[in-house]
Amino acid sequence: MVSVHRRPSWEIAERFATPEPVFLNRRSILKGFGLGMFAAASLAATAGAPAAQEADPTADLYPAKKNEAYKLDRPITPEEINGNYNNFYEFGSSKSIAANAQNLVIRPWEIAVDGLVEKPFTIAFDDLVRKFPLETRLYRHRCVEAWSMTVPWAGFPLKSLVGLAKPLASAKYVRFETFLDPDMASGQNSFLYPWPYIEGVTIAEAANELAFIVTGAYDKPVAKQHGAPLRLHLPWKYGFKSIKSIRRISFVEERPVGLWEALLPSEYGFWANVNPEVSHPRWSQATERVLATGEIVPTLLFNGYGDQVAQLYAGMDPSTLYM
Ligand code: MTE
């Protein structure tokens, strides 16, 4: 039997935070197995013993120099809280995927850069990470599920990578793709999701100073559950845009369709800019629950980063920009 967990009043029930068809399907499937969500999460966490800790050849790059331009209005979320409350559906659909995510094999790790570029190439992560100076930035992260966290990410601006790729003038968007390996990532055996995880931004968004390729956090290489060895972070957008464990970066003419948009286009769109005034079809986005403190605070337009990004959307129909 499932153990019953009483939710604090501020917590969104999973059925509100998970796309409905996914939730309903998953429930009926789990019911078929006589399992509830709690049992399923425990199974996922024990599905494979964590791989032995390999020495990380990039550990010498951290701590990276702090960029003082990025300040926070609230404390940094403790690492043990952020590191145990994740969305990484490749390793399970609960928040407790940290143990299962240790199965992620991050070496060797190559990233393909292709599409509309002068010359497509593949580069090893360990080479890419040494191409640009790393810096530490304190960023807020606002999930579409109405919780937020603050993280000292380390990495380099996405625009440096765009410069390395030398896109052609015909490239309008950057498309990111996560690995596809159901043997390693048990969640990818689920037929409920259109794997692999994909996300995309416009070229102008990719060139914005805030768009950041994360390679580290908390003064060390980024943890597997946060999307090692490299992930995106777009602090003015809902968290699902910040794709983890990137394997392929393509410059394309057509707007990419992300995993969530492909699954539920009426709820998750391409832009996904944070806007407290535009509700998700099933819940309000006016406030957010701060991880660790549980405080409920007002959500800010563009997650508080309007000065840096509002000009990207000048002249566009605002009603289309927040989904
Ligand atoms: N990237 C991949 N590949 N798979 C995922 O499931 N989840 C997204 C995003 N990137 C996700 C992903 C969502 S919904 C959020 S909120 C953030 O990662 C969570 O990042 P965190 O676990 O490091 O807090």
Side-chain angles (χ1 to χ4, degrees):
M1 244 331 274
V2 183
S3 80
V4 178
H5 150 69
R6 272 191 82 83
R7 291 176 188 281
S9 56
W10 39 256
E11 192 177 324
I12 297 180
E14 175 148 17
R15 77 194 131 89
F16 295 125
T18 303
E20 198 159 44
V22 176
F23 177 77
L24 294 176
N25 286 338
R26 209 168 53 201
R27 261 190 58 164
S28 52
I29 290 163
L30 293 170
K31 241 170 99 186
F33 286 120
L35 295 173
M37 297 316 300
F38 179 79
S42 316
L43 276 185
T46 53
Q53 288 296 319
E54 57 265 43
D56 192 307
T58 64
D60 62 296
L61 294 170
Y62 308 94
K65 192 171 182 295
K66 195 165 163 192
N67 183 333
E68 298 294 343
Y70 299 95
K71 298 194 188 331
L72 290 176
D73 57 349
R74 55 189 85 159
I76 291 174
T77 313
E79 182 182 359
E80 51 289 2
I81 304 262
N82 278 342
N84 288 292
Y85 190 88
N86 303 100
N87 277 333
F88 202 168
Y89 281 72
E90 285 84 342
F91 293 100
S93 54
S94 81
K95 297 285 181 281
S96 309
I97 53 75
N100 203 16
Q102 303 317 304
N103 290 325
L104 175 63
V105 176
I106 56 169
R107 286 199 170 73
W109 190 279
E110 293 196 323
I111 301 115
V113 178
D114 60 17
L116 302 168
V117 292
E118 271 182 23
K119 196 165 181 267
F121 60 91
T122 297
I123 185 166
F125 170 74
D126 291 340
D127 296 333
L128 179 68
V129 71
R130 290 183 194 275
K131 286 224 175 279
F132 315 108
L134 300 190
E135 56 181 273
T136 294
R137 295 183 178 188
L138 308 184
Y139 270 178
R140 288 191 299 273
H141 174 104
R142 169 61 159 81
C143 180
V144 73
E145 296 162 342
W147 53 264
S148 66
M149 62 180 187
T150 48
V151 190
W153 296 123
F156 54 86
L158 173 58
K159 70 175 178 193
S160 304
L161 204 151
V162 173
L164 186 73
K166 301 196 181 72
L168 305 178
S170 51
K172 304 275 184 291
Y173 299 92
V174 191
R175 177 187 183 277
F176 300 87
E177 192 175 306
T178 298
F179 64 85
L180 180 61
D181 187 345
D183 290 340
M184 176 175 78
S186 56
Q188 289 187 329
N189 291 301
S190 168
F191 56 85
L192 302 177
Y193 305 93
W195 305 112
Y197 202 100
I198 285 165
E199 261 309 335
V201 294
T202 64
I203 290 278
E205 288 176 328
N208 186 274
E209 186 57 38
L210 283 181
F212 202 51
I213 292 282
V214 169
T215 61
Y218 297 96
D219 291 342
K220 53 181 185 271
V222 67
K224 292 183 177 181
Q225 62 268 35
H226 284 304
L230 79 166
R231 69 172 294 174
L232 191 59
H233 197 253
L234 306 165
W236 72 101
K237 291 180 180 282
Y238 291 118
F240 70 87
K241 296 291 296 181
S242 292
I243 184 171
K244 297 178 171 183
S245 303
I246 299 164
R247 262 291 163 80
R248 185 171 170 208
I249 302 174
S250 309
F251 290 79
V252 296
E253 203 167 346
E254 273 191 25
R255 192 162 103 173
V257 178
L259 175 138
W260 291 108
E261 188 180 4
L263 195 64
L264 263 183
S266 59
E267 301 200 355
Y268 305 101
F270 172 78
W271 298 104
N273 292 317
V274 175
N275 186 344
E277 288 178 10
V278 179
S279 295
H280 182 277
R282 288 179 287 128
W283 60 84
S284 163
Q285 297 291 22
T287 60
E288 66 206 49
R289 171 175 56 92
V290 180
L291 284 195
T293 67
E295 215 185 331
I296 303 289
V297 300
T299 286
L300 303 173
L301 182 63
F302 294 118
N303 201 22
Y305 294 99
D307 286 351
Q308 291 95 325
V309 298
Q311 81 284 354
L312 287 171
Y313 311 104
M316 293 174 69
D317 174 2
S319 66
T320 62
L321 286 177
Y322 304 105
M323 230 207 51

